[in-house]
Each structure stands twice: as structure tokens, then as C-alpha cells.
Amino acid sequence: MTNMLNVDQAKGLVAEALVASNTSLPNAASVAAALVNAELWGQMGHGLRRTVAYAAQARAGKVDGHAIPQAEQPRPGLLMVDACQGFAYPALDLVMDRLPSMAVSQGIAMAGIRRSHHCGVTGLVVDALARKGLVAMMFANAPASMAPWGGNRALFGTNPIAFATPVEGDEPLVVDLSLSKVARGKIMAANQKGEPIPEGWALDKDGQATTDAQVGLDGFMVPAGDAKGVALALMVEMLCAGITGANYSYEATSFFNAEGDPPGVGQSIIAIDPSAFGPHIAERLTSLVTAVAETEGARVPGARRHGLAKRIETEGIKVDDALLAEIQAISA
């Protein structure tokens, strides 16, 4: 059976479970907002299904539920944030508080986050920056699940890349890509439901195709674009872990269980004020999006998310009985 929760009910459900799992109320609220927003974007693998693992990790101390992120500004256009082995979302909230004004002042600014955790839907972060009139990019690494091309050792994570730009008179353009063929959260969700995965999503430990979700989680993710996807994953490692001092993917522990040390991964966010290049740049950015939208048969990347979010917000968030009971049991 499927239950329908409104946004406030869903946030309350997540926050209660986290507070009961040794997490401060402000941090629990930040996490809950991020997971619910992921649901509104149709990204269920980064949504409510993460609650159980997050709560278990907070109880075990793998993530510090009471961490307060710390920021320093070593250069005018650079913000360094230490997530202090806590959840990524409070650190991202701190970035959103400070990075936009830095970008407007300097023309461009970058934030680097270290000692962080799973950051969910990267597109949500750049979308929020675009709504402030900024062009934005975000890079994040994740525990290793992809091997270098031709190799048999997982060194890189699925390492998402996101980009957003404001569009005059419309919603921002958002490009949000996992560098694996699909996000690992989709395989996690299939495993939780006891469902098979399509062939081509993941490989077993011997590099053979599998439709078993658990075998896929224990094996390797298939990179998007074959060797090109792996090369981009290497680039992301350098941008969000190499220069920030965060753990590389192969040094990070799993986001899915409560075993081991904190993952300690990294994220990097770049924000650009397009008006710094001239008064008509916003029009130029919009003109390209318009050209794509007006092309017969074409679709602007991410466009369906806006209508989907409004529909889910109106109709409610679907939560199956098993998941709802599992989350409720945490705070019982």
C-alpha cells in the first residue's frame, strides 16, 4: 500500500527520526528539507529512502549529527568549509548564505567543502544559486564504485556534476549528471524494494553484467560514456577532493551503512555573476535555451522537473508501507 504525505508531514517524519538518532534539531531540519526536495524533483534514491541509513550512521557516530560547519575565507573569492564530519546539508546551507554575495562582489567565487557526507541532488544547489541570478556549477565525489577504464579496482565514485543558469522569464536551466550510467541511489532503491535492475546499470565483482541490485551494489557501476565518463570522474575527484583536502572516493566509506569511519568526502561549488561580463549576458544565456526549446522534438534538460515538483507538492509524496513503518520505528 502507498501512503501520501504532504511536504510538512514528510519533513517532520525525517526530522523526528534523525533527532531520535542523536542529531540536533537544526541539522535534522536541514537534512529533512533536502530529502523532501529530492522527492519533489523525482529523485527518490536521494529522498526519504536515505533516512534509515542516515539515522543509523548518526547513532553509530559515522556522521556527527551535532556538527556545526565552520567556514574561512582565505582569499576574497574563496570559501573553505569544514563540514566537521557532519551531514553535508548544513555545510551547503552555509555556502548558500555566503557564496552569492562573494560572487557578486568578485564576479566569481568558489566554495570547497571537506570532511563531508552524501550531498543528495546536486542540481538543487545550483538551481538555488541560479534563482539568485548566478551561473553555477557543482562537483561532488562519493565512495568508490567505478574502476578506471580497463581496470578492476574501484577508485572513483559516481561523482555528479551539476550546472545551472538563470533564464529570463522562466525557471532556471539545470543540468544534473551522474558520471555512472545511472545514479547509485537508483540501485539502492531497487535493492530496498527487492526489484531487479536493468542490464547495463552495474557489473558484478568480476566485471560481468548483472540485474541483481545487491550484486550491483557489491560490484561496479557502469560509467556514462565509457572511458569519457571515467575521465570526467577523475576530474571531479581533483576538483572536490584533491584541492579541498577531502577524502578521495577510494578513501571514503559507504554512504549506505553505519560501518567504519566517516566518509569525509568533498564538494565544490562555483558561482559566477553573468552581469560582470556585460549588461546583455542574461539575454544571451536565455536565447540559447529558447533555441533548444523551440527545436521540434527537443527538450530542455531538466524542464520536466518543474512540473513534476508542482504536481508532487499538490498530490503528496508517495511512501510505501514498509518504508514508512521503518522510518517511524526509529523514533518510536
Side-chain angles (χ1 to χ4, degrees), residues 5-25:
L5 303 182
N6 65 37
V7 167
D8 289 339
Q9 288 172 328
K11 287 180 179 178
L13 178 71
V14 175
E16 277 187 37
L18 291 173
V19 169
S21 302
N22 198 24
T23 299
S24 70
L25 183 56

Side-chain angles (χ1 to χ4, degrees), residues 52-65:
V52 176
Y54 281 7
Q57 291 173 43
R59 290 194 302 272
K62 185 173 180 176
V63 59
D64 183 352

Side-chain angles (χ1 to χ4, degrees), residues 149-195:
W149 192 247
N152 60 0
R153 176 191 174 197
L155 289 181
F156 310 131
T158 53
N159 294 10
I161 295 174
F163 168 86
T165 184
V167 177
E168 291 184 326
D170 205 345
E171 301 282 353
L173 164 71
V174 179
V175 177
D176 187 355
L177 304 172
S178 167
L179 294 179
S180 53
K181 195 166 184 180
V182 298
R184 203 158 185 247
K186 289 187 176 182
I187 298 180
M188 178 205 71
N191 189 51
Q192 287 181 338
K193 296 176 185 177
E195 297 175 352

Side-chain angles (χ1 to χ4, degrees), residues 85 113-118 139-146 148 153-160 230-255 261-268:
Q85 307 295 17
I113 305 175
R114 62 179 180 272
R115 298 207 300 166
S116 191
H117 195 262
H118 175 247
F139 309 92
N141 72 337
S145 58
M146 292 200 306
R153 176 191 174 197
L155 289 181
F156 310 131
T158 53
N159 294 10
V230 175
L232 287 172
L234 172 60
M235 178 192 77
V236 171
E237 293 286 343
M238 296 298 189
L239 284 170
C240 68
I243 64 174
T244 67
N247 281 343
Y248 286 125
S249 290
Y250 67 87
E251 298 172 315
T253 56
S254 175
F255 288 156
D261 295 327
V265 292
Q267 294 97 30
S268 288

Side-chain angles (χ1 to χ4, degrees), residues 10 24 30 37-38 50 72 81 97 104 135 157 176 189 196-197 202 208 248 285 297 321:
S24 70
S30 176
N37 284 335
R50 294 279 175 165
E72 57 180 303
V81 178
D97 285 342
V104 171
V135 174
D176 187 355
I197 57 174
Q208 301 301 309
Y248 286 125
L285 296 173
D321 278 346

